[in-house]
Amino acid sequence: MKIIMDERKNDCYIGVDLGGTNIRAGRIEGNRLVAQDSAPTPKNARDQEETLEALIAVIRSVWSEETRAIGIGVPSVVDRVRGIVYNVVNIPHWEEVRLGERLRECFGVPVFVDNDANCFALGERIFGVGKDYENFVGLTLGTGLGGGIIQRGRLLADANCGSGEFGMIPYQGQILEYYCSGSYFANVWGVDGKEMYERATRGDERALEAYRQLGEHVAAAIKIVVLTVDPEMIVFGGSVTAAHALFEESMYEGLKDFAYPNSIKRLKIFFSTLEHPGLFGAASLCYGK
C-alpha cells in the first residue's frame, strides 16, 4: 500500500461520507484534503431521489476535472460489485439504491461504495496507523459500534459486506453496541453522551463511573475481536474515541482475565489521530483500483 500511495501521490479522488445527519464530501490530492463541503441529509425526504440530488450537489461543490474516481462510505451493507446499498440507517426510502450506477452516470468516473466502518479501516491502512500493519481491525465508537477488517493489507473480501459488524453481536441481553458506543450513555445512564463527557471532565463521580464501565464493555469488544479475527492491531475511531483517557485504564484492566494472555500482550491498540477520517476513508476505496 505504501507503493500505491507513492505512485498516486498526485492523483485526485473524491471521498464522500454519507450519514443520517450530514452529507460530507472532500477532494483529496495525494494525502492532502484540498476542498470540502457538507449539507444536511434531508430528514423528511419524499423519496430516495431527493437525498440523491442533495448528495450529487455536495459532490459537485468539490468536483474538479482532474478527479479520477469517487469513493463513498454509507452506514449499511453494500453490494460492492454493483454499487448497490441496502437499508441505509436513518435515511428514508433508501432500502435499495443503485448508488454507484447513478453517480457514474452523473460524473463519468469510476465509483466505489462500501460500508463506512470498512472505509475507516482502509483509511487507517493508507493514511493512518495501519500503514505498518497487514492484519488489523478498525472499530468505530460512534452512535453505534462498527468494524472493518484488514487482512493481508486489504479489506476482507466477504460475501455481503457484513463482516466486522461486532456491534450486532448479542451481549448482556442486548447487543454489544447498546453498551459499547456513544448511545450507551443514554441507554444505561439516561444522559446524552456530550453532557456525560462534560460532567466527567468536571470530575462528576457518576460520570466518571459511567466511563469506567464503558471501558469494561470496550474490553469485551476487544476480546470478541481477538477471538474471531486475532489481529495484530486494533485502531479505534469515532466520536467516543476523543474521550479515551476516561475509559482506557478500565479497558486494559478488563483485558487481564482474557483466556489467551499472550494474544493480548502482542496486540497493539491505538486511538486514531487521523483528521477527517470519513473523507479519507471513503477516498481510500479508490486507491489500488
Side-chain angles (χ1 to χ4, degrees):
M1 281 293 188
K2 289 182 179 178
I3 295 173
I4 289 170
M5 188 69 229
D6 290 342
E7 288 176 347
R8 302 200 170 198
K9 61 185 178 182
N10 296 316
D11 282 353
C12 177
Y13 302 109
I14 288 177
V16 183
D17 183 11
L18 173 62
T21 303
N22 292 298
I23 303 167
R24 299 179 62 236
R27 190 170 79 249
I28 293 168
E29 296 178 4
N31 61 357
R32 295 183 304 116
L33 179 65
V34 298
Q36 63 175 311
D37 198 9
S38 66
T41 305
K43 292 186 180 299
N44 301 302
R46 300 178 303 275
D47 49 30
Q48 63 176 236
E49 185 64 23
E50 184 175 344
T51 303
L52 272 168
E53 289 175 358
L55 171 63
I56 289 169
V58 174
I59 295 173
R60 280 198 177 118
S61 71
V62 298
W63 177 259
S64 162
E65 291 303 317
E66 282 71 49
T67 301
R68 293 180 49 137
I70 297 169
I72 178 165
V74 296
S76 71
V77 292
V78 175
D79 180 333
R80 297 182 178 109
V81 175
R82 297 188 293 169
I84 302 174
V85 300
Y86 299 96
N87 308 112
V88 181
V89 178
N90 295 327
I91 300 182
H93 313 295
W94 274 46
E95 286 78 25
E96 181 176 329
V97 181
R98 295 181 174 273
L99 185 57
E101 179 181 310
R102 178 62 186 278
L103 294 181
R104 278 192 299 274
E105 290 174 352
C106 185
F107 293 99
V109 297
V111 178
F112 305 99
V113 188
D114 214 313
N115 172 268
D116 53 3
N118 285 342
C119 291
F120 165 69
L122 191 59
E124 288 292 334
R125 172 62 177 151
I126 294 177
F127 297 102
V129 297
K131 287 178 180 178
D132 298 322
Y133 296 89
E134 291 284 314
N135 301 287
F136 69 90
V137 171
L139 290 179
T140 55
L141 282 172
T143 304
L145 172 65
I149 301 171
I150 301 291
Q151 289 193 338
R152 298 182 180 178
R154 298 185 178 276
L155 276 173
L156 180 66
D158 52 4
N160 300 298
C161 194
S163 61
E165 294 296 331
F166 301 106
M168 301 305 291
I169 290 174
Y171 175 74
Q172 295 194 6
Q174 295 285 342
I175 57 175
L176 186 58
E177 77 173 20
Y178 185 92
Y179 294 96
C180 191
S181 69
S183 301
Y184 150 79
F185 300 106
N187 293 339
V188 177
W189 297 85
V191 177
D192 157 282
K194 182 179 179 182
E195 182 181 344
M196 189 66 89
Y197 176 73
E198 290 172 352
R199 290 183 185 181
T201 56
R202 294 197 301 266
D204 181 272
E205 290 187 8
R206 188 169 183 267
L208 292 171
E209 175 61 17
Y211 274 100
R212 188 194 68 77
Q213 291 185 28
L214 173 64
E216 294 176 348
H217 299 308
V218 174
I222 292 170
K223 291 174 182 177
I224 289 169
V225 170
V226 175
L227 287 169
T228 53
V229 182
D230 194 21
E232 300 172 85
M233 181 268 282
I234 294 174
V235 54
F236 285 96
S239 56
V240 181
T241 301
H244 69 86
L246 295 170
F247 64 82
E248 196 170 357
E249 182 178 349
S250 59
M251 177 191 79
Y252 280 111
E253 187 66 27
L255 295 174
K256 288 182 177 178
D257 64 350
F258 189 65
Y260 307 110
N262 281 339
S263 297
I264 295 299
K265 284 180 184 177
R266 294 171 182 165
L267 179 69
K268 302 292 190 300
I269 299 175
F270 298 106
F271 295 93
S272 177
T273 59
L274 187 63
E275 291 189 42
H276 308 292
L279 302 182
F280 277 98
S284 296
L285 297 173
C286 306
Y287 286 78
K289 302 296 185 181

